[in-house]
Each structure stands twice: as C-alpha cells, then as structure tokens.
Amino acid sequence: MKLFTSTEFNSFQDLFVNQLEDLYDAEQRLTKALPKMAGAANSNQLRQAFHQHLTETQGHVSRLETTFRQLGIDPKRETCQAMKGLISEGEEVVDGTGDPSIKDAALIAAAQRVEHYEISGYGTARSFALRLGRKEAADLLQQTLDEEKTADQKLTQIAESSINVQAAAQTTATAGSRY
Ligand SMILES: [Fe+2]
Ligand SMILES: [Fe+2]
C-alpha cells in the first residue's frame, strides 16, 4: 500500500482490489527471494521447506491472477513496501557469515515474519471478499491463507525440534564465557 501519498478511500470494492494488488506484488517478490533463502540454508530440512514454499508461492501468484480474472480486472502490482523491507532483512541474513546453525535460526526468524505478514494480508482480503459477496475469491484466498499458516507452523516445528537446539548448543560451545 502507498504510505506517503494521499489515497482516497471511497469504495470498499476498490480497497479490496488494492489489497489484492499489494499481495500480488508481495508474492512475486517472494518468488525471487525464496530461492536465495533456500540456497543459504544449511539444514536440508529447512532448505526443503523453503523449496516447497516456493512452489506454493508460485501457486499463490496464480490464485491471485485467477481472482483478478474472476473480478474482470487486469492483474496489477501495487508496490508492497512492507514486503520489500522484510525481504531486505532476509537478504541481510542470506549474505551473512558465521555459524551455519545460527544462520539457519536467523533465516527462520526472517521467514516467519514474512509468513505472519502474509497471514494478516490474506485474512483481511478473505474477509473483504466475503463481505462483498465474492465467494469464489474468498475460497481462493482462504486456500492460500491455509498454506501460509501451514508453512509458518512447519518453520516453528523445524526451529524448535532442531535448529534452535543446535544454535543454542553452538552458542554455549563458542561463547560460553560471555554469559
Ligand atoms: Fe504466499
Ligand atoms: Fe508464504
């Protein structure tokens, strides 16, 4: 969404479309960022999770295009400043050096911020679609919302079952005297 220019809010339908355009931009940025996250992951499980979510993310782009078509409008991107920021934080991790397990923990931290942002965006768009009587759009948005939630849960599971354990052990081994 535009942050620094004046935008008029007169039509709920237009607001709905604006939300879709914001998500459309965010998802396309993610299709470029996720391969870099996967490439930077040390853990096979984490790399696979990023690859799987890349495939899902390509589907999210397609679903949004289907929704635009159903609404009779051309797909358009509205620059998502928030996603640009979240991705640039992720790229800082991708470019970072140091212990592989701690870097993996940092990748998960960045990726989960992205998922929560998407969960928020899709929840709102789904509710708008329902209120506007756009059942088909609401169903597609709900499908993506469910995949975002599952991706987030999977990252939590990977973090808590292995990555954070390894990262904490590494910290104790190398920097124990500092704490
Ligand atoms: Fe997505
Ligand atoms: Fe996602």
Side-chain angles (χ1 to χ4, degrees), residues 23 26-27 30 53 56-58 60-61 114-115 118 122 144 147-148:
L23 286 167
E27 294 284 20
L30 283 170
H53 200 52
E56 289 171 341
T57 298
Q58 287 159 347
H60 301 171
V61 171
V114 168
E115 293 315 313
E118 290 187 291
Y122 278 101
T144 298
E147 286 179 3
E148 308 294 15

Side-chain angles (χ1 to χ4, degrees), residues 3-177:
L3 289 177
F4 303 114
T5 54
S6 171
T7 305
E8 272 194 59
F9 295 101
N10 295 317
S11 154
F12 195 41
Q13 164 82 19
D14 288 352
L15 177 62
F16 172 52
V17 171
N18 177 264
Q19 299 286 315
L20 295 177
E21 290 169 348
D22 186 90
L23 286 167
Y24 189 50
D25 183 73
E27 294 284 20
Q28 289 187 71
R29 289 179 189 281
L30 283 170
T31 61
K32 305 277 188 313
L34 278 166
K36 296 182 204 165
M37 305 277 282
N42 171 63
S43 142
N44 285 336
Q45 199 186 11
L46 182 57
R47 193 176 322 111
Q48 282 165 17
F50 284 142
H51 278 306
Q52 186 192 329
H53 200 52
L54 170 61
T55 305
E56 289 171 341
T57 298
Q58 287 159 347
H60 301 171
V61 171
S62 302
R63 280 198 197 110
L64 287 168
E65 286 168 350
T66 303
T67 300
F68 283 119
R69 261 201 312 280
Q70 288 169 347
L71 295 169
I73 50 177
D74 290 330
K76 204 183 100 196
R77 291 172 68 159
E78 166 87 39
T79 300
C80 181
Q81 300 291 351
M83 189 56 77
K84 276 177 81 171
L86 290 171
I87 287 173
S88 85
E89 287 189 0
E91 281 170 351
E92 275 178 41
V93 181
V94 167
D95 295 338
T97 54
D99 179 77
S101 58
I102 298 174
K103 189 166 160 172
D104 277 357
L107 285 171
I108 293 176
Q112 287 196 280
R113 277 175 168 79
V114 168
E115 293 315 313
H116 280 246
Y117 182 78
E118 290 187 291
I119 288 166
S120 167
Y122 278 101
T124 297
R126 183 270 332 266
S127 295
F128 284 6
L130 282 175
R131 179 51 53 192
L132 286 160
R134 299 284 187 179
K135 176 82 170 64
E136 281 181 328
D139 287 347
L140 288 179
L141 292 163
Q142 183 68 53
Q143 284 176 38
T144 298
L145 177 59
D146 291 342
E147 286 179 3
E148 308 294 15
K149 286 181 179 172
T150 302
D152 179 58
Q153 286 161 2
K154 188 169 186 179
L155 289 170
T156 297
Q157 188 264 325
I158 294 171
E160 293 185 349
S161 67
S162 63
I163 304 292
N164 291 357
V165 180
Q166 291 167 32
Q170 187 61 28
T171 302
T172 306
T174 60
S177 61

